[in-house]
Amino acid sequence: MGLQVDVRKLDLFNQMAKEGSGTVADHLGQLTGLDARVHTSQINFLDIDDVKTHIGTDRQVGIYVELTEPPYGYVLFMLDPADSKRLAGAMLGGMGDGGDGAGFSDMERSAMQEIGNIMTSGFIDGWANVLDTTIDMGTPNFVLGPASGIVDKMGGWPDSELVFVIDSKIVVEDDDLGMTVYTFPELESLVELIQHIDLETDVAADTEAGDVV
């Protein structure tokens, strides 16, 4: 399949990617009661061998979710273990054990998986609205370890020399808490969806975040 796309539709997709990151920031703000925003959002085409180099080797908590419908691929939330502890504690109403993130209880892991579920649902629902489709997803997975190893755990990479990566950094104002969202859609499936975007689509309206329940 050809990968040529109308440049106007690429611009709409770029807006969609940024608005989706904004939805994640809104949900993070609702979960923490703090003001979260998108610090940076960029799109990269990386050689498959460079993906792990791009992500790095720092010890991180990763919550990844597989997309089981086009564009397929994965959404990965990565954050510092101590920040993950704080988020889990907020989700559990202060019942987490705090600490520096050396280890996580089953409750904390479950809380982080639920956060991943909430974040991904809002993110992907906005994409589905813009692309006029449905995008189902699997169960969130919790992984603790070197960032590059988290990518290995995801597995299922497409048979392609290039990987399409949307890389968004979310930060909380006046706080050091933050996360990075990586989206790895399968390139050909994504292009096929982008080709059907209606040029009259109101991206901001379609990707508007709802309240976190």
Side-chain angles (χ1 to χ4, degrees):
M1 187 195 78
L3 297 180
Q4 293 184 342
V5 180
D6 185 326
V7 68
R8 295 169 298 174
K9 294 186 177 184
L10 282 177
D11 183 59
L12 285 174
F13 174 75
N14 189 44
Q15 293 178 45
M16 182 182 83
K18 290 181 178 179
E19 292 287 348
S21 301
T23 298
V24 173
D26 289 343
H27 285 176
L28 180 62
Q30 290 179 49
L31 287 167
T32 61
L34 300 170
D35 183 19
R37 63 181 177 87
V38 181
H39 181 60
T40 60
S41 183
Q42 58 188 355
I43 294 173
N44 295 295
F45 286 92
L46 297 175
D47 185 282
I48 189 69
D49 293 331
D50 292 334
V51 171
K52 289 190 288 186
T53 301
H54 176 73
I55 287 179
T57 59
D58 289 347
R59 185 171 179 270
Q60 297 279 284
V61 165
I63 306 295
Y64 68 86
V65 181
E66 183 176 6
L67 307 182
T68 57
E69 290 184 295
Y72 300 111
Y74 294 91
V75 178
L76 169 64
F77 301 92
M78 203 171 290
L79 60 164
D80 180 83
D83 288 349
S84 184
K85 282 275 191 180
R86 290 177 58 192
L87 275 180
M91 190 72 175
L92 293 168
M95 293 176 62
D97 64 12
D100 60 2
F104 287 79
S105 68
D106 288 344
M107 285 181 61
E108 289 171 326
R109 287 171 179 262
S110 179
M112 288 305 302
Q113 287 173 299
E114 180 56 25
I115 288 170
N117 187 59
I118 291 169
M119 300 281 197
T120 306
S121 294
F123 186 71
I124 294 304
D125 284 351
W127 279 37
N129 289 340
V130 173
L131 297 170
D132 193 25
T133 187
T134 61
I135 305 175
D136 202 3
M137 65 185 202
T139 303
N141 297 272
F142 178 102
V143 185
L144 173 64
S148 56
I150 293 171
V151 173
D152 285 334
K153 289 279 189 182
M154 286 163 53
W157 291 98
D159 184 17
S160 172
E161 292 183 0
L162 287 177
V163 177
F164 185 80
V165 185
I166 303 168
D167 176 347
S168 303
K169 290 181 170 44
I170 314 294
V171 298
V172 173
E173 296 283 5
D174 302 321
D175 197 287
D176 58 1
L177 189 150
M179 68 169 62
T180 304
V181 186
Y182 297 98
T183 313
F184 303 97
E186 290 189 7
L187 186 55
E188 290 196 358
S189 293
L190 180 65
V191 167
E192 185 172 355
L193 289 174
I194 291 174
Q195 287 173 336
H196 293 92
I197 291 178
D198 183 345
L199 290 173
E200 301 302 316
T201 297
D202 185 339
V203 173
D206 280 353
T207 55
E208 185 176 356
D211 289 338
V212 173
V213 177

